[in-house]
Each structure stands twice: as C-alpha cells, then as structure tokens.
Amino acid sequence: MARDLIREYLAYLRVEKGLSPNSVTSYGQDLSKLSIWAGSQGRGVSELNESDASVWVREMASGGLAPRSIARMISAARGLYRFLQLDGHVSTDPFANLSAPQAAQAVPRFLVEEELERLLSAPDTGDREGVRDRALLELLYATGLRVSELVNLSVSNLDLERGLLECTGKGSKQRHVPVGRSALRWLEEYLKVRTHLLCGKASVSLFVKAGGQPLTRQHVWSRIRAYASQTGLEDVTPHGLRHSFATHLLQRGADSRSVQALLGHSDIGTTQIYTHITGQRLRATYDTHHPRAREPHRGNSSEASHETPPDRDDI
C-alpha cells in the first residue's frame, strides 16, 4: 500500500509537476527509505504520526547522516504528505512542525581563469572526439549549463547565427542563453566532425559518441575527470564549470538577477551564494592592491586603539 501511494506521488511529480527523471528518481530513493523505516515500526507511510517523524529524524542524525541529507529527506516527506492530504489519504502531515537540521552552506568550488585555460586546452583537437570534448567544455563554461541540460541538447537547440542556445532545465522550464564567441567557434568545428562520429546513423542529439549514441551524464563526468587529472587539477566536475561561469560573471560586474536568469534558478537566494564568493575575492583584491589597505595608522595611539576595522560584509 505504501509503495502504491509513493508511486502515485512520483507519477504526479513526473507528469503534473514536470520534474526531470533524475529528480523523480531522487525523490523515490528518499521516500523508499521512509517506507522501509515505517515498515520496521509495523506501520505504513500513511499511518505515521508526528512522534514517529521525530524518531525517524533522530535515528538518521544518530546514524551519522549529514544535516543536508536529513533536510532533503524531510523535504521529500513533506511533499509526499501534502499530496496525500490533497488526495484524502491522510488528514495531517506528521512532518509539518518538524524543523530540519541547519546545514552549513557549502561554498561552490570554482576554477580561476588560469585553471580554466588549462582544462579547456586539454583535449587533443587533432582527434574528432577531442574536438567534441573541447566544444562541450567551452559550452559548459560559456553558458553555465547543468550536465543534464547539456546531454539533452538537440542540434535544433543551437542557433549559431544569433549565438543563442535554447535549453530545458528543471521543471521542464525553457530558457535562452547567449553563447560566447570562443564556444561558438568550437561548436562550428565540432559540427564539421559530428557526421563522422555518427557513422551513418541519424541522431537529433547535439553531442554524440563515436558510433552515434548520445553522450550520457556519466560519460561527460568521466571525460572531465580525465582532463582534470591530465592537467593537475583536483575536484573538477561539470557543476564546477557552472560555478565558474556564475562566479566570473559576478566578479566582472554582472548583476545577480541576470546571473539567476542565465543559470535558470527559480529563487534568487540560490544565486546569492556566489555573491559571498565574489565578496571574499573583492576583499582579497582590495587588501592586495589598495595602497593604504595595510598601512599602519599614523594618528596617536589612543585614537588607534578605538578604531574599528571595517566589516568585510560592508565592502
């Protein structure tokens, strides 16, 4: 019974809410754990109460599960119970008054421009797959696409003449993203060799393997890891290129709302993590280059003792 209710909810997320297959799978995995735990207590999911919810969360925490993961599980459960309430399967949400543990906000890992140059130059462009890889690396950095958005691109999504790309993001939301000159040049080079990679097969996918099959998320991850290792870089992921795209735009004066639109964030709060990074770098730049940033105070000592250093958040 519990599995049927969860299946109904996952179908609702997929069909009515338009969530991506990856998101639906993630919800399914979290809710499956809730269902298994409920069964271990001799209950179905629809029979859990507020006390049960508290016990489940405490057990996850004592088992060493990270606060961020617990918060995600609670969020998945709340969504399920809202759905079950609307359909009349339950009268109350046992998670409604439960506070999720606060997770420290992770600072995204991004590459500085010198590191990006090394990574982008890593593919052997004397090879057809190398040209493809250079084009996809350039495109990831030029547009801030998620890797799932990249592998789902079709040739028709690309407008080389206008320098625009249409992609479908989370929740099936479409957006248009400008593509820079360097990425456009490498995409043009890639399209010249794409026919050879297709090996006579037809495909609407923009990026394909040798043999004509569409590139997968796993394949893109493995190629980027290989190029990162080749150039002596650590912890480089496709999402790291997305973080670099956003960070570098803000460092060069782009406003948060524009970056939000380019990234496809529904909430400006998600974008604002990057302003924290750029603020840190602005302070470091100020300290390094301003002629009086570290110059000792020349007034009398009593005045100096009451002087308050500027708050970094005000810079």
Side-chain angles (χ1 to χ4, degrees), residues 5 51-53 71 104 108-109 120 135 139 145 177 191 200 214 219 224 226 229 241 254 276 278 289 298-299 303:
L5 293 176
S51 176
D52 294 323
R109 161 86 167 102
L120 295 176
L139 188 61
L145 291 183
V177 186
L191 290 173
H219 191 84
I224 290 178
S229 176
L241 292 173
H276 171 67
T278 54
H289 298 290
R298 289 193 173 89
E303 287 177 343

XYZ file of all heavy atoms in Angstrom, residues 5 51-53 71 104 108-109 120 135 139 145 177 191 200 214 219 224 226 229 241 254 276 278 289 298-299 303:
203
model
N 1.165 4.326 -2.842
C 0.989 5.754 -2.589
C 2.208 6.537 -3.065
O 2.077 7.614 -3.653
C 0.753 6.006 -1.098
C -0.561 5.470 -0.514
C -0.608 5.711 0.986
C -1.764 6.107 -1.200
N 5.133 11.990 16.275
C 6.139 11.356 17.127
C 7.031 10.425 16.301
O 8.254 10.391 16.479
C 5.450 10.573 18.255
O 6.409 9.881 19.023
N 6.419 9.666 15.387
C 7.194 8.774 14.517
C 8.184 9.573 13.664
O 9.336 9.169 13.491
C 6.258 7.998 13.583
C 5.357 7.030 14.325
O 5.814 6.430 15.308
O 4.191 6.892 13.898
N 7.712 10.695 13.134
C 8.569 11.531 12.298
C 9.787 12.004 13.080
O 10.923 11.981 12.571
C 7.781 12.717 11.753
N 17.798 17.083 5.859
C 16.894 18.152 5.408
C 16.238 17.774 4.084
O 15.048 18.038 3.863
C 17.671 19.464 5.271
N 25.454 23.768 7.121
C 26.312 24.878 6.702
C 26.249 24.992 5.192
O 26.278 23.993 4.480
C 27.748 24.620 7.148
N 30.564 26.826 -3.299
C 30.850 26.070 -4.516
C 32.316 26.161 -4.917
O 32.956 27.196 -4.774
C 29.966 26.752 -5.574
C 28.940 27.495 -4.805
C 29.585 27.896 -3.525
N 32.848 25.057 -5.415
C 34.215 25.012 -5.923
C 34.203 25.563 -7.338
O 33.424 25.125 -8.178
C 34.708 23.564 -5.919
C 35.920 23.272 -6.808
C 37.217 23.556 -6.109
N 38.333 22.995 -6.854
C 39.156 23.692 -7.623
N 38.981 25.001 -7.771
N 40.164 23.118 -8.247
N 40.355 23.746 -20.535
C 39.774 23.889 -21.870
C 40.738 23.472 -22.963
O 40.330 22.992 -24.035
C 39.332 25.339 -22.100
C 38.201 25.862 -21.207
C 37.945 27.336 -21.482
C 36.926 25.064 -21.396
N 34.569 21.396 -27.561
C 33.323 22.147 -27.772
C 32.404 22.053 -26.555
O 31.818 23.058 -26.123
C 32.604 21.627 -29.014
N 31.313 25.058 -24.101
C 29.887 25.375 -23.971
C 29.445 25.371 -22.505
O 28.677 26.239 -22.079
C 29.052 24.381 -24.777
C 27.560 24.712 -24.885
C 27.350 26.052 -25.590
C 26.807 23.610 -25.612
N 25.485 25.706 -18.216
C 24.502 24.620 -18.264
C 24.800 23.545 -17.219
O 25.954 23.281 -16.889
C 24.524 23.941 -19.645
C 24.025 24.718 -20.860
C 24.081 23.822 -22.086
C 22.627 25.253 -20.652
N 20.007 31.107 -23.635
C 21.275 31.535 -23.071
C 22.199 31.965 -24.206
O 22.363 31.238 -25.190
C 21.948 30.393 -22.270
C 23.202 30.887 -21.565
C 20.981 29.793 -21.259
N 30.695 20.550 -35.269
C 29.645 20.164 -36.209
C 30.227 19.641 -37.525
O 29.591 18.832 -38.215
C 28.701 21.337 -36.463
C 27.803 21.718 -35.269
C 27.023 22.997 -35.562
C 26.856 20.571 -34.906
N 27.135 7.162 -39.974
C 25.997 6.826 -40.827
C 24.668 6.754 -40.113
O 23.628 6.556 -40.746
N 23.947 9.063 -28.162
C 24.061 10.328 -27.436
C 25.020 10.199 -26.260
O 25.133 9.130 -25.645
C 22.624 10.574 -26.930
C 21.753 9.709 -27.764
C 22.577 8.523 -28.146
N 29.344 9.811 -19.025
C 30.448 9.949 -19.980
C 31.076 11.342 -19.878
O 32.300 11.483 -19.890
C 29.950 9.700 -21.405
C 31.048 9.568 -22.411
N 31.706 8.384 -22.640
C 31.636 10.488 -23.227
C 32.637 8.569 -23.562
N 32.610 9.832 -23.937
N 35.626 14.816 -18.181
C 36.112 15.988 -17.453
C 37.102 15.575 -16.370
O 38.135 16.219 -16.169
C 34.934 16.788 -16.869
C 34.157 17.456 -18.017
C 35.414 17.834 -15.860
C 32.943 18.239 -17.587
N 39.043 13.006 -16.451
C 40.289 12.621 -17.126
C 41.100 13.851 -17.516
O 42.328 13.882 -17.321
C 39.964 11.781 -18.367
N 42.618 15.468 -14.387
C 43.787 14.714 -13.926
C 44.986 14.980 -14.824
O 46.122 15.157 -14.350
C 43.441 13.222 -13.910
O 44.563 12.446 -13.569
N 32.217 23.849 -13.556
C 32.238 24.806 -14.671
C 31.040 25.746 -14.580
O 31.142 26.927 -14.910
C 32.235 24.051 -16.004
C 33.506 23.258 -16.305
C 33.329 22.417 -17.561
C 34.701 24.187 -16.469
N 28.493 41.603 -13.429
C 27.119 41.222 -13.763
C 26.235 41.306 -12.511
O 26.706 41.081 -11.403
C 27.085 39.806 -14.338
N 28.713 35.744 -2.098
C 29.601 35.550 -0.952
C 31.031 35.311 -1.435
O 31.984 35.883 -0.925
C 29.116 34.343 -0.142
C 30.062 33.921 0.944
N 30.326 34.708 2.042
C 30.816 32.800 1.082
C 31.197 34.080 2.822
N 31.498 32.927 2.260
N 32.333 36.154 -4.400
C 32.900 37.331 -5.054
C 33.240 38.410 -4.042
O 34.194 39.155 -4.214
C 31.938 37.883 -6.121
O 30.661 38.113 -5.533
C 31.773 36.892 -7.267
N 45.917 45.265 -3.412
C 46.243 46.325 -4.365
C 46.025 47.757 -3.868
O 46.593 48.694 -4.431
C 45.445 46.113 -5.663
C 45.770 44.816 -6.342
N 46.981 44.582 -6.948
C 45.048 43.681 -6.488
C 46.983 43.357 -7.454
N 45.822 42.799 -7.179
N 48.560 56.429 11.372
C 49.610 57.372 11.759
C 49.144 58.349 12.829
O 49.867 59.236 13.208
C 50.093 58.144 10.516
C 50.910 57.239 9.571
C 51.636 58.098 8.552
N 52.546 57.299 7.764
C 52.236 56.674 6.643
N 51.007 56.713 6.200
N 53.134 55.974 5.987
N 47.886 58.204 13.298
C 47.400 59.093 14.354
C 47.993 58.697 15.689
O 48.863 57.832 15.785
N 43.820 57.145 19.721
C 42.811 57.109 18.664
C 42.824 55.751 17.978
O 41.799 55.182 17.668
C 43.073 58.203 17.628
C 42.744 59.595 18.138
C 43.086 60.639 17.109
O 43.843 60.323 16.177
O 42.596 61.757 17.221
